[in-house]
Amino acid sequence: MTHSFSADTPGTSDLYQLTTRVHRHIGFQKIRLGAMLCVLEESGEWKGRTGAHSFRGFLIEEGIHPQAARQYMKIARKFVLELQTSTQDLHAMSRASMRVLCAAADVATPDNQSDLIDIIVSLPKAEALDEIRSRYAMSGDERAQGGSVSKPVGKILSEVGELTQLQRAELFSKLNMSSPSARVSNASS
């Protein structure tokens, strides 16, 4: 069964509005999920609910991608738990990409919260990222960390950071690295 939509169909406008509402709802629910996961992780209430021995394992067993969960949690920790952003502002921000919201969470303070929300809500993704980076320039250390590796290497490093200590040790062993314990402690910090 196939469906076709024509640009002049009266329902197309309604379909666009519904798509926009659903997209905003999904974004808002990701932020809510992040807040709940923060509380679960900090309280330890996730323990014993599955056979997982780590929070990452818990996420995997629950079908939640750990890297995505960490993004949701970062955003929720900053905007919900720390800055107590209003529900109205969270709804407005919820259509933005996780990348934009994470960049904003990196620099958000009570003093710039309102400006950041305006940027997030009013600018397209690329422009919002540029504005956040230029207006709230990262420190030299942050720039050196973020700019010193290529995007694929950065992605791998991020995923390594999500591994448990045992998984990292296994990875370093497979890569024939001489001192996995030293590298494990460095990777987790």
Side-chain angles (χ1 to χ4, degrees), residues 26-38:
I26 290 169
F28 183 75
Q29 295 307 320
K30 287 177 180 179
I31 296 169
R32 279 188 69 208
L33 176 61
M36 290 182 269
L37 290 173
C38 284

Side-chain angles (χ1 to χ4, degrees), residues 12 16 28-29 47 51 56 71 75 77 80 93-94 111-112 114 121-122 125 130 135-136 138 154 177 188:
T12 304
Y16 173 78
F28 183 75
Q29 295 307 320
K47 295 176 183 172
R56 183 181 192 283
Q71 288 180 333
I75 294 160
R77 187 172 285 115
V80 176
M93 295 166 50
S94 65
D111 295 333
N112 68 12
S114 180
V121 170
S122 63
K125 177 183 174 179
D130 287 344
R135 192 180 292 191
Y136 308 100
M138 293 186 285
M177 297 179 132
S188 63

Side-chain angles (χ1 to χ4, degrees), residues 90-105:
L90 290 172
H91 273 287
M93 295 166 50
S94 65
R95 280 193 62 203
S97 74
M98 288 293 122
R99 189 169 178 197
V100 169
L101 293 174
C102 282

Side-chain angles (χ1 to χ4, degrees), residues 160-188:
V160 168
E162 295 292 326
L163 296 176
T164 65
Q165 191 168 9
L166 257 126
Q167 291 168 330
R168 281 188 224 138
E170 179 185 4
L171 172 66
F172 292 131
S173 170
K174 294 289 182 192
L175 293 173
N176 294 321
M177 297 179 132
S178 58
S179 167
S181 60
R183 286 181 175 80
V184 168
S185 64
N186 289 341
S188 63

Side-chain angles (χ1 to χ4, degrees), residues 13 23 54 60 66 70 81-82 89 95 114 129 137 147 181:
S13 168
H23 183 239
S54 68
I60 291 169
R70 291 291 175 196
L81 302 175
E82 185 182 320
D89 284 342
R95 280 193 62 203
S114 180
L129 281 171
S181 60

